[in-house]
Amino acid sequence: MKPIFYTFLLLFICSGLYAQTNGSNPDLAPNTGGVGGKLLEQGSDQPVGFANVAVYNIENGEMVGGTTSDIDGNFTLKDLPYGDYRLEVSFIGYEDEEMMLELNNSERFLEVGQINLATGGATNLDEVVVTAERAIMELGLDRKSFNVEKSVAAVGGSAADLLRQIPSITVDLEGNVSLRGSGGVRFLINGKPSGIVGSDPATYLQSLSASSIERVEVITNPGAAYDPEGTAGIINIILKQKEEDGFNASVNLNAGTNNKFDGNLDLNWRVGKFNSFAGVSGRYDERYFQGFRDQEGTLGDSLFSRRFEFDGDRVRKSTMMKLGTEYSIGQRGVIGVQANYQLEWGDNTNLRTTQFFNSESDLDRTSVRTETEPNEEKDYELQLNYSQGFKKEGRQLSGQLQYSNNDENEIENYDEIIVDARDVQIGTDRQRSPTLEGRDRVLAQLDYEQTFGEFKLTTGWRSTFERLEEDAEFQTFGVSDFQKVDSLSNLFAYEEDVHAIYATFGGKIDKITFNLGLRAEQAYTTSKLLEPNPETFENDYFKVYPSIYAGYSFTEQTTLQASYSRRIERPRAWALNPFVDRGDPFNLRAGNPFLLPELINSFELNVQQQFGAGTITAGVYYRQLNDIISRITRIQEGGVSLSTRDNLDRGRDYGIEVISTYRPTEKLDLTISANGYRSEIIGNNQDENIDQNGYLFSGNIQGSYELPWGIQTQFTYFYRSPGVRPQGRIEAIQSLDVGFRKDILNDRGALTFRVSDVFNQRQYRFTTETGGITTVSEFQRESRIAYLGFQYSLNSLGRDNRRDGGPRGGGDGGGDGDF
C-alpha cells in the first residue's frame, strides 16, 4: 500500500507544480489594465462575498470602475486606462480598506493578493456616527457562524461555558462536547488545527477564557479539504485579534462567586510590513461537585444493593501565553511564526462513601474513601505559516508546519476506612496511582488554489505524525512505604502517522453553486503494551473520503442546499490503553487496544430563508454509522463493573434542525433553535444484545434586549429531553443563564454581570442496565455562579488602512517574476 500511496503523492505534487507554471492574465483591451484580489475576514481567513470594490482616479477623485466580490471573496476589474488609482473596499459590518495602484504597460494586470477586512466597522460623518453591528448568527455556504464577541451570556466563564450557549452544541459534566448528540467533534482554532487542543479538547476549553473568543463556526458536513476526523463535524473557534496599524491592547478581568477569577491581556503592534502580537491569560476556578450512584442486582443466588455518595471539590489553575509575528514579503507573500504555551495545575478532592446492603436490605458495612488527585500539565506549540500570491489572477499557495508537545503527570491517592454496621472499624487500605504521559505531534500541510472565472480548484497534501507514551502505576502501602504492583501497572506507547492528498472543485453556474471533493488517506497506527507483558497491536488502513455540496438560489432570500460527506472517528490513545483505573474500586475504567475506527456517511438537506425581520434555516439530516465506538459496561466477579470502549455493529441517526433569528423591534433580538432526532444502535456485548433506539430533542432560546441607560441584557435557556444510550438512558436537563452589559469610558470599556444556571438545574442523571445490575446515577458540579467583569480596549494609534507599509503596484518587490 505504501508504494501506491507515494505514487499518488508524487503525481499530486507534479500537478501542483504544473498549475503554478500555467495561467494567464485576463483579456484586456489595448492600453488598459486591471486589478484582482481576494477579500478575507481578518482573523478567520474566511472569504467575504458581495463586498463593494471601487477604483477612483487619484487626480480628480472620479470613480472609473466598480464591482462586487463573488461568493468566494474574489474580485476582478478590467479595462482600466493606465494611470494612478485608489482602490476602496467596503462592506457593512467591516472596516473600509484602501490602497494605491499604478497601472502601466509593464504591469498591466495587478494581482493584489489577499485583503483582510476587520470586523465591526464604523463611519464618522461630522457628528453622526453609524456603527454596523454584526448579526448574532450568520449563515454561510457550509457553516453557521455565531458572533459572540459582545455576548454577555458567558462572561467570566470558559470556552466550554460559552459553547453551551450555541445551538446544537451540548457540554457534559466533564467538559466533553457533543454536536447534534454526537461526541465526535473536531476543533479548529482560527481555521487551523492545534496540537494543544487536539491532545485534550476538554482541558483546553476549560482553560480558555470565553472573553478571548470573537466567533464560533459550526460545520456539520465539512468538505474533503478538511481533516475527516470527527464524525459529528467541526467547531471552529475564532479568537479575537487586533490587526489595525499602530498599537492595540485589550484587557478583560472577571471574578465569580466561590473563588473564580480569570483575566487576559492581548497586545498587538502593526507597523510597516510587520504585525506582531502577544497575549497572556490566567484562570483560577474552584467548583464543588456532588452526586450519588445506586446499584442493585444479583450475585449468584443473592440480591444485593449498594449506594455510593460523592462530595468533593475541583480546583483548576491555568496560564496561557502566545507570541508571534507576521511579515509581508514583497507585495503578495506573508510568512508568520507563532508560539503558544499552556500550563495547568489541578487538585481534586473527593469523599466517597459507599454503603453495602445484604439481600434483606440491611446495612452490612460502610467504606469511607478519601481521594486526592494533584496534577500538572504543560503544553507548547510552534507554528510556521506561509502564503504566497501571484501576479496572475486567482492563484494562492499556502503552507504550514507545526510542532506540539504535551507532558502531563498526576497522582491519584486513596485512603480508605471500612466499618461494620455497628460503626466498628474492620479494615483500612491505602493505594496510590501515579501516571506520567508525554505526547509529540508534527503536522505539515501544503495547499494550492486556482480560480478559473467562476470556478475554483483546490489541491492539498497533509501529513501528521504522533507519538505518545504513558507510564501508569498502581501502588499499595506496605509496612512503611508504597510498593508497585507490577500486574496492575503498565507502560503503553502509541504511534499514529496519517498521510493525505485531496482536491476540491467548485463554482457557480447561473443559480447553482456546487463543490465536489475527494480525499485519500493512508493511516499507520501501532499500539504497544511494553509492560508488564509486551504485546503489539497494529491497524493500518487506506480510506477515501468523498464530499459533495450543491446549492440553488431561488431568489436572493431563498436558498436550497444539499451535502454529503464521509468522515471517521479514530480511537484516541486513552481509549486504547488497557490500563485499569481503580479510582472507584467497584466501577473500574479501562481502554481497549482492539478498537477500530468508526465511519460515518452524512447527508443533509437545508433551506435558508431571509425575511424582513430575520432569517430561518430548516433542514433534515441522516447519519449512517459503522463500527460505532461506544462506552460499554461489563460486570465482573463480585459485582464489580468495568467501563470500557468497544465497537458496536452499526447505527443511524436521522433528525430535523431549525434555527431562526428574529428582530421584532430595534431593541430585541431573538435566536431560537430546535434539534430533534431518532437514534438507532445495533450491537452485542459478550453475547448480550444491546440494541437501542429512541428519540431525543434539544432546544435553545437566546435573546438580547436594550434596556434604558444603554444597558444590554441577554438570556439563554437550554433544554434537552430524556433519551437512550447503549445499555441505558439519560434524563432531561435544562438551565437558564442571564447577563447584563454596560459600555463605559466612551465605549472603550464595559462592565458586565452574569449569573449562570439561575435555578440550579444543570444535573446529569442516567441509568445503566447490564449483566443483571441496574445503576441509577446523578451528578452535579457547581453551576449557579455570579460573575462580575470589566473589559477595556485601547484602539490603534497612527491608523493606516493599507495592508502593508507601501503603495500597491508598480514599484517595490514586483519585478517580472511570478511572485
Side-chain angles (χ1 to χ4, degrees):
M1 186 62 70
K2 288 185 179 181
I4 296 176
F5 177 80
Y6 289 118
T7 299
F8 274 113
L9 179 58
L10 180 61
L11 291 174
F12 161 75
I13 294 174
C14 291
S15 66
L17 293 175
Y18 175 81
Q20 293 186 44
T21 57
N22 286 271
S24 60
N25 288 338
D27 293 332
L28 297 171
N31 298 318
T32 66
V35 60
K38 186 180 184 71
L39 307 182
L40 298 178
E41 183 178 80
Q42 206 169 71
S44 70
D45 288 339
Q46 296 301 316
V48 178
F50 313 109
N52 297 315
V53 182
V55 174
Y56 295 88
N57 188 298
I58 291 181
E59 294 182 358
N60 55 30
E62 293 182 358
M63 187 175 75
V64 295
T67 186
T68 58
S69 59
D70 65 18
I71 203 165
D72 292 316
N74 299 307
F75 69 89
T76 302
L77 280 165
K78 300 188 298 182
D79 301 333
L80 302 173
Y82 295 152
D84 296 328
Y85 298 103
R86 184 180 76 255
L87 176 73
E88 291 190 0
V89 179
S90 62
F91 191 50
I92 186 171
Y94 295 88
E95 296 180 357
D96 294 348
E97 289 289 330
E98 68 175 41
M99 62 185 64
M100 311 308 291
L101 308 174
E102 179 184 348
L103 300 178
N104 51 51
N105 189 52
S106 62
E107 190 169 15
R108 299 183 62 192
F109 188 86
L110 181 62
E111 174 60 56
V112 298
Q114 297 179 359
I115 299 177
N116 296 316
L117 302 182
T119 59
T123 301
N124 294 319
L125 300 175
D126 296 331
E127 297 181 356
V128 180
V129 179
V130 181
T131 302
E133 293 289 347
R134 303 192 66 187
I136 295 176
M137 184 187 74
E138 296 176 332
L139 304 176
L141 288 176
D142 63 346
R143 69 196 64 200
K144 302 178 183 72
S145 298
F146 299 91
N147 300 304
V148 297
E149 183 175 9
K150 293 188 177 181
S151 172
V152 294
V155 167
S158 65
D161 296 321
L162 177 62
L163 291 179
R164 288 190 175 96
Q165 317 295 325
I166 306 298
S168 303
I169 297 178
T170 56
V171 183
D172 69 10
L173 186 70
E174 299 298 325
N176 300 307
V177 177
S178 297
L179 180 58
R180 288 178 174 173
S182 175
V185 179
R186 177 169 176 78
F187 288 91
L188 300 178
I189 304 299
N190 293 333
K192 299 177 181 178
S194 170
I196 292 181
V197 184
S199 62
D200 188 355
T203 298
Y204 177 84
L205 294 175
Q206 291 169 353
S207 301
L208 178 64
S209 173
S211 59
S212 300
I213 300 175
E214 175 182 318
R215 187 172 72 257
V216 176
E217 297 179 345
V218 178
I219 310 172
T220 53
N221 229 8
Y226 290 96
D227 185 347
E229 178 81 19
T231 53
I234 292 174
I235 295 177
N236 183 22
I237 296 177
I238 307 299
L239 302 179
K240 295 177 181 178
Q241 297 187 23
K242 294 289 187 181
E243 297 190 5
E244 294 90 347
D245 280 357
F247 177 75
N248 299 272
S250 63
V251 62
N252 290 272
L253 300 172
N254 299 283
T257 52
N258 297 330
N259 299 323
K260 298 169 184 64
F261 308 95
D262 86 90
N264 64 277
L265 172 66
D266 289 295
L267 306 173
N268 174 256
W269 177 257
R270 186 181 180 99
V271 57
K273 295 187 176 184
F274 282 95
N275 178 33
S276 302
F277 54 90
V280 60
S281 65
R283 285 181 59 81
Y284 179 92
D285 191 284
E286 181 177 337
R287 302 195 187 198
Y288 71 82
F289 63 88
Q290 59 189 16
F292 67 85
R293 180 185 294 125
D294 287 331
Q295 285 185 340
E296 60 180 21
T298 304
L299 288 178
D301 297 328
S302 302
L303 297 174
F304 80 96
S305 63
R306 50 192 178 220
R307 180 178 177 87
F308 307 85
E309 294 183 351
F310 314 94
D311 189 1
D313 188 73
R314 187 171 190 173
V315 177
R316 287 181 179 271
K317 296 178 287 183
S318 63
T319 301
M320 302 178 71
M321 291 178 281
K322 65 179 180 181
L323 180 66
T325 189
E326 294 178 344
Y327 177 73
S328 297
I329 303 174
Q331 297 179 338
R332 302 172 182 87
V334 177
I335 187 170
V337 294
Q338 181 173 343
N340 302 311
Y341 180 76
Q342 175 179 292
L343 178 61
E344 180 176 280
W345 304 267
D347 193 4
N348 304 329
T349 61
N350 179 31
L351 183 64
R352 184 190 303 265
T353 303
T354 307
Q355 295 177 304
F356 301 86
F357 300 89
N358 58 27
S359 58
E360 304 298 327
S361 298
D362 296 326
L363 179 64
D364 182 67
R365 67 187 187 280
T366 301
S367 164
V368 179
R369 185 178 172 97
T370 302
E371 303 168 356
T372 61
E373 184 185 347
N375 61 80
E376 181 178 293
E377 181 174 346
K378 298 178 181 179
D379 305 274
Y380 70 87
E381 180 178 63
L382 303 174
Q383 297 179 5
L384 175 64
N385 301 291
Y386 175 74
S387 64
Q388 179 66 57
F390 299 83
K391 281 186 179 180
K392 299 176 182 178
E393 179 189 10
R395 297 192 296 165
Q396 184 77 21
L397 180 69
S398 61
Q400 64 170 314
L401 185 64
Q402 183 185 104
Y403 171 76
S404 61
N405 174 270
N406 166 266
D407 289 307
E408 182 178 1
N409 67 81
E410 65 178 23
I411 302 177
E412 299 179 7
N413 302 287
Y414 315 115
D415 294 331
E416 184 177 23
I417 299 175
I418 304 173
V419 299
D420 62 15
R422 299 186 301 276
D423 207 27
V424 177
Q425 181 173 314
I426 58 177
T428 61
D429 196 7
R430 293 183 65 188
Q431 301 170 343
R432 188 169 68 181
S433 181
T435 301
L436 295 175
E437 180 182 299
R439 181 195 306 263
D440 294 278
R441 186 174 185 269
V442 175
L443 180 149
Q445 184 168 344
L446 185 67
D447 292 284
Y448 174 78
E449 67 178 45
Q450 183 162 347
T451 301
F452 309 90
E454 295 291 326
F455 304 99
K456 182 171 71 172
L457 172 69
T458 301
T459 59
W461 154 78
R462 169 179 161 145
S463 289
T464 58
F465 308 87
E466 184 173 330
R467 301 292 183 267
L468 176 142
E469 185 171 283
E470 183 175 300
D471 186 359
E473 294 186 4
F474 184 78
Q475 304 173 352
T476 59
F477 192 79
V479 177
S480 60
D481 200 1
F482 284 95
Q483 304 295 324
K484 177 182 176 182
V485 181
D486 291 333
S487 60
L488 301 180
S489 306
N490 86 353
L491 179 61
F492 177 80
Y494 178 69
E495 301 176 0
E496 178 184 282
D497 298 342
V498 180
H499 308 282
I501 56 176
Y502 48 88
T504 64
F505 180 75
K508 186 175 183 181
I509 303 176
D510 194 18
K511 295 184 177 182
I512 298 175
T513 304
F514 71 94
N515 189 281
L516 307 176
L518 187 65
R519 187 185 190 99
E521 281 194 352
Q522 174 67 56
Y524 303 97
T525 66
T526 303
S527 302
K528 298 179 180 179
L529 183 60
L530 305 177
E531 296 177 4
N533 302 308
E535 194 170 359
T536 300
F537 312 88
E538 292 187 350
N539 183 24
D540 302 337
Y541 50 90
F542 175 83
K543 296 190 181 298
V544 176
Y545 306 93
S547 66
I548 302 173
Y549 168 85
Y552 183 82
S553 298
F554 294 96
T555 65
E556 292 184 359
Q557 290 75 34
T558 306
T559 303
L560 178 68
Q561 300 174 344
S563 60
Y564 160 77
S565 68
R566 190 178 194 223
R567 300 186 62 75
I568 189 172
E569 181 75 12
R570 309 183 209 278
R572 296 295 88 194
W574 58 265
L576 295 167
N577 189 352
F579 175 74
V580 178
D581 184 343
R582 301 175 184 274
D584 183 339
F586 291 92
N587 297 277
L588 310 179
R589 294 182 296 176
N592 176 10
F594 298 100
L595 273 180
L596 299 175
E598 176 182 338
L599 292 172
I600 179 174
N601 292 290
S602 176
F603 303 82
E604 288 194 31
L605 181 66
N606 293 285
V607 175
Q608 297 181 359
Q609 175 69 53
Q610 299 180 12
F611 52 92
T615 64
I616 184 170
T617 176
V620 295
Y621 59 90
Y622 173 76
R623 299 186 296 211
Q624 182 187 56
L625 308 111
N626 296 288
D627 294 324
I628 303 172
I629 298 177
S630 179
R631 185 190 299 272
I632 296 295
T633 301
R634 292 168 178 156
I635 303 302
Q636 300 183 319
E637 184 179 354
V640 175
S641 65
L642 174 65
S643 176
T644 185
R645 302 278 174 169
D646 209 343
N647 291 108
L648 303 182
D649 296 340
R650 62 188 183 277
R652 53 181 174 262
D653 300 331
Y654 38 95
I656 300 175
E657 182 180 62
V658 179
I659 302 177
S660 177
T661 62
Y662 181 55
R663 191 172 191 178
T665 70
E666 291 185 0
K667 295 185 176 182
L668 177 62
D669 281 294
L670 294 173
T671 301
I672 304 172
S673 68
N675 177 51
Y677 68 93
R678 176 178 171 84
S679 177
E680 298 178 356
I681 300 171
I682 301 173
N684 294 278
N685 177 34
Q686 295 184 343
D687 299 326
E688 176 189 1
N689 185 293
I690 56 174
D691 294 358
Q692 286 278 17
N693 61 80
Y695 295 90
L696 190 140
F697 167 82
S698 63
N700 183 303
I701 301 176
Q702 187 174 105
S704 63
Y705 185 78
E706 185 177 340
L707 297 171
W709 308 290
I711 298 176
Q712 190 76 19
T713 181
Q714 185 172 323
F715 72 90
T716 303
Y717 173 75
F718 168 77
Y719 173 81
R720 189 201 65 202
S721 71
V724 300
R725 67 175 192 167
Q727 299 179 295
R729 62 182 283 109
I730 56 176
E731 301 302 324
I733 187 173
Q734 59 183 324
S735 63
L736 174 67
D737 297 356
V738 297
F740 303 87
R741 175 190 176 101
K742 169 63 177 176
D743 290 336
I744 58 175
L745 304 176
N746 295 322
D747 292 339
R748 290 180 178 268
L751 292 175
T752 57
F753 177 73
R754 177 177 78 96
V755 180
S756 63
D757 194 16
V758 175
F759 299 107
N760 201 30
Q761 296 175 301
R762 199 174 291 161
Q763 300 175 347
Y764 297 84
R765 297 170 294 166
F766 47 92
T767 302
T768 303
E769 298 179 356
T770 182
I773 294 180
T774 300
T775 303
V776 178
S777 305
E778 179 178 306
F779 296 92
Q780 183 177 27
R781 183 172 295 160
E782 182 183 4
S783 56
R784 182 164 57 186
I785 306 166
Y787 293 95
L788 182 63
F790 170 75
Q791 303 170 23
Y792 183 78
S793 295
L794 177 63
N795 294 331
S796 60
L797 302 177
R799 177 175 176 80
D800 183 347
N801 282 335
R802 291 175 303 195
R803 194 168 70 96
D804 58 39
R808 295 283 177 181
D812 199 45
D816 294 326
D818 198 32
F819 293 139

